[in-house]
Amino acid sequence: MATFLPRLVFPTLDSLPRSYFLGHHRAGLNKMKTMLSSIDLIIECRDYRVPLSSRNPLFEENLAGRQRLIVYTKQDLGTEGREADKLREATIRHFHAPTPILFSSHKTPRSIRSILSFARSHALSTNTLTGSRMMIVGMPNVGKSSLLNALRQAGVHKGKAAQTGDQPGVTRKIGTTVKIIDATDDEQGIYLVDTPGVFVPYVPNAEAMLKLALCGSVKDTIISPTTMADYLLFQLNLQSSGLYGEWSPPTNDVMVLLAGVARKTGRLQRGGVPDFDASALWLIQRWRTGHVGRFVLDRVTDESLRQDHLEIENLSGSLSQARRLGKEERRQRSKARHVEAG
């Protein structure tokens, strides 16, 4: 039997959408700017599985002037405690120094306590009479609301204050201020403001857009489910083809894998024909919840972090151009849909 060789490069998809910057993203960002004067700390959430791709330069450009804590969320979905995972985290911490970095899962009490401890220490240094107010920001569906709820539960032992969901866009407006630490005789109360996720105006890298889509930062209707499943297959093969062994032998053909998923899970249409889209969405959701491997999609090295920083710096200097590119792309997609309908 021939040795299976996985693809080392995913084919470039020039037709892939590169924009998901919506009206409520812009409105939310503008509202955040007006609130800065009352905010002591920005807690910026990034997805642990895409630590480079989930960085949004809009926050650094529009919310400058406040101390920032970067929290890499969903750590439980991107690591299994391997030595390579620990080295990656150390590399990220070292690169961003002196900006404080924490890695967290809203399901892990210890990581939630570490964020509360940081918030408490920061609040003590501000010494305000009315309590410390912090704002949580990030790309769509990086886990901001889940983190807020976990901080509230651990800090003041109260239930959910923010609605959560599998798809982006659940939080569409600036939320009410939520207490996460009670005031005492020695300490002030600490309050957190939930915000809607804000996407970048334009994603110049097609593979970064696929990574963000796979992690759920854009709605599953924006990119074809089979395209996302194909990219997931590409990433799975770079880890181990055994991760999908219950549905298919090692393969680079996503349709072979999805046909196996359809047969094993009963996602069949009339006549026993596999429902490829339904099978793709099911497989993607299984990966998103940690049932088909737990690994990072971005390649994180000192060099890749420096390169990402340079690209972000270039993008920050031309965000208006990026917005124009995003707007033009949306116009072209709308025009294409009208032509197809006609």
Side-chain angles (χ1 to χ4, degrees):
M1 181 180 292
T3 302
F4 172 68
L5 297 175
R7 292 171 290 178
L8 298 180
V9 178
F10 193 77
T12 301
L13 300 173
D14 293 330
S15 61
L16 200 71
R18 305 287 185 86
S19 175
Y20 191 65
F21 189 64
L22 305 178
H24 70 273
H25 296 175
R26 184 188 305 277
L29 187 63
N30 289 337
K31 180 66 174 176
M32 293 176 212
K33 289 165 65 176
T34 68
M35 299 175 66
L36 266 187
S37 61
S38 65
I39 299 298
D40 305 314
L41 177 71
I42 301 293
I43 300 177
E44 182 185 342
C45 296
R46 301 177 186 175
D47 192 316
Y48 185 95
R49 298 165 297 178
V50 279
L52 278 65
S53 300
S54 60
R55 177 185 176 189
N56 190 340
L58 286 176
F59 297 127
E60 292 159 62
E61 181 188 70
N62 290 274
L63 306 179
R66 290 291 178 272
Q67 185 172 339
R68 181 183 308 266
L69 167 67
I70 299 176
V71 177
Y72 287 91
T73 59
K74 306 186 182 184
Q75 182 188 29
D76 58 311
L77 300 178
T79 177
E80 292 180 343
R82 296 162 292 219
E83 190 61 30
D85 297 325
K86 298 174 184 177
L87 289 173
R88 185 192 312 108
E89 292 175 9
T91 299
I92 291 172
R93 277 200 177 97
H94 181 264
F95 181 81
H96 287 298
T99 301
I101 302 292
L102 292 174
F103 301 94
S104 175
S105 164
H106 71 272
K107 300 176 181 178
T108 307
R110 188 169 74 171
S111 71
I112 297 303
R113 288 195 297 269
S114 69
I115 298 173
L116 287 172
S117 177
F118 182 93
R120 184 177 283 110
S121 297
H122 179 79
L124 286 172
S125 69
T126 60
N127 194 30
T128 64
L129 297 175
T130 58
S132 179
R133 280 167 171 75
M134 304 176 181
M135 179 183 288
I136 188 165
V137 304
M139 292 272 271
N141 213 20
V142 293
K144 299 180 300 299
S145 297
S146 295
L147 178 58
L148 182 150
N149 288 332
L151 291 170
R152 175 178 164 86
Q153 172 61 41
V156 296
H157 309 293
K158 292 187 177 180
K160 287 185 178 182
Q163 188 178 356
T164 60
D166 293 332
Q167 290 291 291
V170 174
T171 304
R172 299 178 70 89
K173 295 182 180 180
I174 303 290
T176 56
T177 302
V178 175
K179 184 188 291 185
I180 59 170
I181 295 179
D182 284 318
T184 66
D185 292 339
D186 301 319
E187 297 178 352
Q188 58 187 309
I190 301 178
Y191 303 84
L192 193 58
V193 179
D194 194 16
T195 65
V198 177
F199 205 78
V200 291
Y202 184 75
V203 181
N205 184 326
E207 189 167 356
M209 188 69 177
L210 277 172
K211 292 173 182 177
L212 291 168
L214 194 55
C215 290
S217 283
V218 304
K219 285 190 175 180
D220 290 339
T221 54
I222 301 298
I223 296 175
S224 162
T226 54
T227 299
M228 287 195 291
D230 191 21
Y231 186 69
L232 175 57
L233 173 61
F234 167 72
Q235 288 281 355
L236 289 171
N237 279 331
L238 293 179
Q239 301 295 322
S240 169
S241 60
L243 290 171
Y244 57 86
E246 63 182 292
W247 306 298
S248 168
T251 181
N252 288 314
D253 187 340
V254 70
M255 293 306 180
V256 171
L257 171 58
L258 294 180
V261 169
R263 286 192 296 270
K264 289 292 183 69
T265 65
R267 284 167 170 78
L268 302 170
Q269 298 174 322
R270 183 175 298 176
V273 177
D275 188 330
F276 290 110
D277 280 355
S279 299
L281 289 171
W282 181 85
L283 181 64
I284 290 164
Q285 190 59 31
R286 294 288 290 174
W287 178 77
R288 286 174 180 167
T289 52
H291 293 95
V292 190
R294 299 167 185 258
F295 52 87
V296 170
L297 300 178
D298 281 335
R299 182 172 176 268
V300 179
T301 62
D302 287 330
E303 179 56 33
S304 67
L305 283 164
R306 281 193 293 269
Q307 185 61 37
D308 177 69
H309 182 72
L310 288 174
E311 290 178 0
I312 292 295
E313 287 295 309
N314 291 335
L315 182 59
S316 296
S318 58
L319 279 174
S320 59
Q321 180 184 1
R323 293 186 184 99
R324 286 196 296 271
L325 287 169
K327 185 175 181 180
E328 175 62 19
E329 192 211 9
R330 290 192 297 274
R331 190 184 71 80
Q332 292 294 341
R333 288 212 313 270
S334 177
K335 182 179 178 180
R337 285 195 296 269
H338 282 103
V339 170
E340 291 173 3

